[in-house]
Amino acid sequence: MLVTAGMTLAARQRRLEAERLELRRLELAERASRRRALAHQQRMHWELLSRAIDNPALAAVIDTYDPGIPAERRRQYFYANAWYINLYHLHRTGILNQEEFYGHARELFQNALMREYWEASKGQRATLKDSSDEARVGRLVDGLIKDLDEADTDEWWVVGNPPTT
């Protein structure tokens, strides 16, 4: 009887371990599937945005900027958006952690046109759910730009407090 109970316990432990491994395999497969979907979405975003950059008639479909902004500047904003979204997706897919994202954003937002784009697109970000990852990252960039604007050094690469992950 004791041998049978021992084998039953061992069999149960093997079955639980097999179930745990299968659950982990499914979690990893789901994560990989999500990353593929995000990569596809990023490619689609770039394709659609490229068309808008190249064709003012198509750009009019997604143009939510102030109508007083010249067409050439709006095209630059679309391109700036592509750079920002690329950086955001690198972070979102886990290729960049939050600290690395911050470092790249600090460099990207050295450009006055990027900052101008960011200001012009604040209405778009205001529509995001406050608890969303995109809104959280947007607030991170808002804080970074504020720090850059207030910095009393030309050494922009040391400005701000990168978040730790």
Side-chain angles (χ1 to χ4, degrees):
M1 180 82 166
L2 192 54
V3 171
T4 305
M7 288 193 314
T8 303
L9 180 58
R12 186 177 306 144
Q13 287 175 333
R14 282 192 304 275
R15 187 181 75 239
L16 288 173
E17 179 63 14
E19 289 173 1
R20 187 187 68 72
L21 289 173
E22 177 64 11
L23 181 60
R24 179 69 178 144
R25 185 190 67 75
L26 291 171
E27 288 170 350
L28 290 173
E30 181 181 350
R31 187 178 302 162
S33 176
R34 182 170 169 75
R35 281 189 174 166
R36 282 190 304 274
L38 285 169
H40 175 72
Q41 190 279 331
Q42 185 177 8
R43 282 189 302 276
M44 288 300 300
H45 178 265
W46 172 246
E47 178 64 30
L48 293 169
L49 205 49
S50 292
R51 290 178 185 187
I53 290 168
D54 294 340
N55 185 332
L58 297 179
V61 173
I62 61 168
D63 188 354
T64 59
Y65 297 111
D66 181 325
I69 297 172
E72 185 65 23
R73 181 67 78 192
R74 286 194 308 272
R75 288 178 69 200
Q76 290 172 327
Y77 287 177
F78 291 144
Y79 190 67
N81 174 263
W83 273 97
Y84 172 73
I85 293 299
N86 180 63
L87 183 59
Y88 172 74
H89 280 291
L90 288 171
H91 169 60
R92 189 168 179 203
T93 58
I95 295 170
L96 296 178
N97 66 29
Q98 193 165 304
E99 188 174 358
E100 292 165 325
F101 170 88
Y102 189 89
H104 288 286
R106 185 168 40 200
E107 179 181 1
L108 190 61
F109 283 96
Q110 283 307 297
N111 183 292
L113 191 54
M114 281 299 297
R115 289 191 200 190
E116 189 179 312
Y117 147 74
W118 194 253
E119 177 63 25
S121 63
K122 69 181 175 187
Q124 296 163 356
R125 288 188 308 284
T127 66
L128 298 172
K129 185 176 179 182
D130 198 47
S131 61
S132 72
D133 187 56
E134 193 172 356
R136 181 189 57 76
V137 171
R139 288 189 300 274
L140 181 82
V141 172
D142 288 340
L144 169 61
I145 291 172
K146 183 177 184 274
D147 289 345
L148 288 167
D149 286 343
E150 295 173 353
D152 58 357
T153 180
D154 292 333
E155 297 177 343
W156 57 264
W157 55 91
V158 299
V159 173
N161 296 308
T164 56
T165 49

